[in-house]
Amino acid sequence: MSGKLYICGTPIGNLEDASVRLLKTLRTADMIACEDTRHTIKLLNHFKIKNRLVSYHEHSNIQKEQYILAELLSGKTVALVSDAGMPTISDPGEKLIRSAIAAEVEIEVIPGPSACTAALAVSGLDTSSFVFLGFLPAKRSKRQSSLESIKKQPRTLVLYEAPHRLVETLEDIAAVMGEQQPVCIVREITKIHEEVKRGPASEMIIHFKGNPPRGEICLVIPVQAEIPGAVDMEKIIRETVELINNGIEKKEALKMKAREYKIKKSTIYKQFLEQISSD
């Protein structure tokens, strides 16, 4: 008879968020498969838990996965954890879970903290329906393309971002969705230096340029329909082209539309160039 795989949610910052059920599972499992043994040992030491650890992360080879699966098939119980939060949610674990399902190994989930839902809850935005995007592409052009494809999504957006890319991502949000696009930035949630900032993308850019962020970051973005005075960039570019076709100099046409819609001329110009290159 096979054993059981426990998918365990662990604290995302404050270790006191660990549930009684989680601690019991970590104590009694035959093995803990963890993203980073150095990280997980801190959690175990805090609660005076001694157990066998095996490293299992996104770069683990197939042999490591097969080893854990063999342990499960031999009747052992394995607790799967990531460094923080729920395994598989922008964290490793999917491959092992799929393999366990295919091998008909019993699986049980131990729910725990999640930065995604915690940030959504504290944002004050619509929680009735949302889309979790994980991390956007690191390359700016691909990141902007992703934002273009989702900017009219009729659901609240939740995504993760690295601190060194936060300002760039906010600049892309401003360029694609408008400088007045509201965002809620939740940083270091449940940790000592937890910070929640709300406001237009343009203001957040200024704030975080002056205060370089550190730690884990979530961005929560409301649907465009909720934005007071939201602008339609496609409409603006169309009107700009019409002005140019009617004899207005390009520079003056851009200035006129920037003044009319109260957005930067450079924002319109950037979208204008992208439109021209795609035609």
Side-chain angles (χ1 to χ4, degrees):
M1 179 173 295
S2 66
K4 182 185 289 188
L5 175 64
Y6 293 93
I7 306 171
C8 301
T10 56
I12 55 178
N14 191 326
L15 295 181
E16 298 305 312
D17 290 337
S19 70
V20 173
R21 186 178 171 207
L22 168 67
L23 299 179
K24 179 181 177 181
T25 302
L26 294 179
R27 283 192 179 97
T28 59
D30 294 307
M31 174 198 302
I32 300 174
C34 52
E35 185 176 358
D36 188 331
T37 56
R38 296 167 299 180
H39 191 96
T40 300
I41 197 66
K42 295 177 184 178
L43 173 65
L44 300 187
N45 287 342
H46 182 80
F47 291 103
K48 297 179 173 56
I49 297 173
K50 295 187 181 297
N51 206 332
R52 176 185 170 201
L53 299 178
V54 59
S55 172
Y56 179 75
H57 49 77
E58 61 181 328
H59 302 298
S60 293
N61 55 37
I62 188 65
Q63 287 77 19
K64 180 64 69 68
E65 180 185 314
Q66 290 175 341
Y67 167 72
I68 297 172
L69 186 61
E71 292 287 277
L72 287 165
L73 291 173
S74 71
K76 300 288 180 62
T77 56
V78 177
L80 172 66
V81 301
S82 61
D83 285 348
M86 288 300 299
T88 81
I89 308 301
S90 283
D91 273 328
E94 286 184 4
K95 292 180 180 178
L96 178 60
I97 292 169
R98 290 197 190 104
S99 296
I101 292 171
E104 299 184 347
V105 171
E106 185 178 357
I107 299 176
E108 186 173 322
V109 64
I110 312 295
S114 170
C116 167
T117 52
L120 181 63
V122 79
S123 72
L125 299 173
D126 180 17
T127 60
S128 60
S129 181
F130 70 94
V131 176
F132 174 61
L133 302 171
F135 286 90
L136 293 176
K139 190 174 181 181
R140 170 154 269 174
S141 59
K142 291 184 178 179
R143 188 164 60 237
Q144 288 189 351
S145 295
S146 294
L147 288 168
E148 282 286 355
S149 68
I150 60 175
K151 69 178 182 179
K152 294 183 179 179
Q153 169 67 243
R155 299 174 180 84
T156 301
L157 306 175
V158 185
L159 58 99
Y160 294 160
E161 190 50 278
H164 66 278
R165 283 200 303 265
L166 177 61
V167 170
E168 288 185 2
T169 295
L170 287 169
E171 289 173 342
D172 292 337
I173 289 172
V176 174
M177 298 179 168
E179 294 180 353
Q180 296 306 305
Q181 167 70 52
V183 293
C184 176
I185 299 169
V186 185
R187 188 178 65 83
E188 290 290 86
I189 196 162
T190 79
K191 300 178 183 177
I192 295 175
H193 301 293
E194 179 176 323
E195 177 184 34
V196 181
K197 297 290 291 184
R198 303 178 183 87
S202 57
E203 291 183 12
M204 296 299 98
I205 292 169
I206 295 171
H207 173 78
F208 285 107
K209 276 186 175 180
N211 303 274
R214 294 181 179 181
E216 306 293 329
I217 295 170
C218 292
L219 282 81
V220 188
I221 307 172
V223 298
Q224 294 242 316
E226 294 181 25
I227 304 170
V231 297
D232 183 341
M233 286 304 299
E234 292 181 5
K235 179 174 180 287
I236 294 173
I237 299 304
R238 194 163 55 244
E239 292 175 356
T240 303
V241 171
E242 288 176 3
L243 287 175
I244 295 172
N245 290 340
N246 288 330
I248 305 294
E249 290 187 4
K250 180 173 67 176
K251 185 176 181 181
E252 183 61 26
L254 291 167
K255 187 185 296 183
M256 289 170 63
K257 287 300 159 183
R259 190 183 306 118
E260 178 183 348
Y261 288 98
K262 296 181 175 56
I263 58 178
K264 289 183 179 179
K265 184 175 70 174
S266 59
T267 300
I268 301 176
Y269 184 57
K270 185 175 183 179
Q271 295 292 316
F272 176 81
L273 291 178
E274 291 182 0
Q275 180 67 37
I276 295 300
S277 62
S278 63
D279 288 346

